[in-house]
Amino acid sequence: MTDSPDSHTRDSSQQSPASSNNQSIIAQQLTYSGPLPPSAEMEKYERISPGAADRILAMAEKEQAHRHAQEEKENAVNSRIAESNIRSQDASISEIKRGQWMAYSLGLIFLGITVMLGLNGHEVAASTLGLGGVAAVATVFIKVRNKQ
């Protein structure tokens, strides 16, 4: 038999249907985590393209340096935010203390005027001023507590 195109075609067409359907597919998947592939894979890269392993290592080092720089920036921003929050809380506490001292001072002034009015025969004015002063100071303290 000669190897002509016709005879070759005849040979392949004469195969049985069972033998032509027996095909298998083999697939392999390799996964890994991290910036570098396993050492066996690095060797394969190096065989395929000399210097590839060095380039992969340089790429991983560059990525790590970038990640560290980003983390340092984030830490600096977080520190500034924390310092700002502390200053804000200190200012708020200072404002509350100042308000309490003012209320205390006004209370003492109202008490002094009330006593003076009462001793000079103005009992109605003294009681009105005294009750009004106590109510005003109490209102201030109640509002401050409700804010917190």
Side-chain angles (χ1 to χ4, degrees):
M1 192 172 198
T2 62
D3 273 344
S4 68
D6 292 336
S7 67
H8 197 12
T9 304
R10 261 187 269 126
D11 288 343
S12 64
S13 64
Q14 292 175 357
Q15 289 180 351
S16 70
S19 65
S20 66
N21 288 335
N22 286 338
Q23 296 179 359
S24 61
I25 298 174
I26 298 174
Q28 181 180 6
Q29 181 178 2
L30 175 66
T31 58
Y32 57 89
S33 63
L36 297 174
S39 58
E41 292 297 312
M42 290 284 276
E43 287 177 26
K44 290 178 186 176
Y45 287 132
E46 190 63 30
R47 268 188 267 128
I48 293 170
S49 175
D54 287 335
R55 290 193 308 270
I56 291 171
L57 286 172
M59 178 185 66
E61 290 169 349
K62 188 176 177 182
E63 173 62 28
Q64 183 181 30
H66 172 72
R67 203 171 34 241
H68 286 184
Q70 289 300 106
E71 287 175 0
E72 286 178 15
K73 286 179 185 177
E74 287 178 20
N75 289 340
V77 167
N78 289 339
S79 293
R80 284 194 299 265
I81 289 171
E83 289 171 7
S84 174
N85 287 342
I86 290 170
R87 282 193 302 270
S88 175
Q89 287 175 349
D90 288 345
S92 179
I93 290 170
S94 176
E95 181 182 342
I96 290 170
K97 284 183 179 180
R98 187 172 43 250
Q100 288 174 340
W101 275 109
M102 286 182 167
Y104 176 75
S105 299
L106 285 173
L108 284 180
I109 291 171
F110 271 96
L111 180 64
I113 294 172
T114 302
V115 168
M116 197 168 56
L117 285 172
L119 291 176
N120 289 327
H122 303 286
E123 293 85 12
V124 175
S127 61
T128 303
L129 185 63
L131 288 175
V134 169
V137 171
T139 302
V140 168
F141 279 109
I142 290 170
K143 284 188 176 182
V144 167
R145 290 217 174 176
N146 286 342
K147 270 187 179 179
Q148 294 175 351

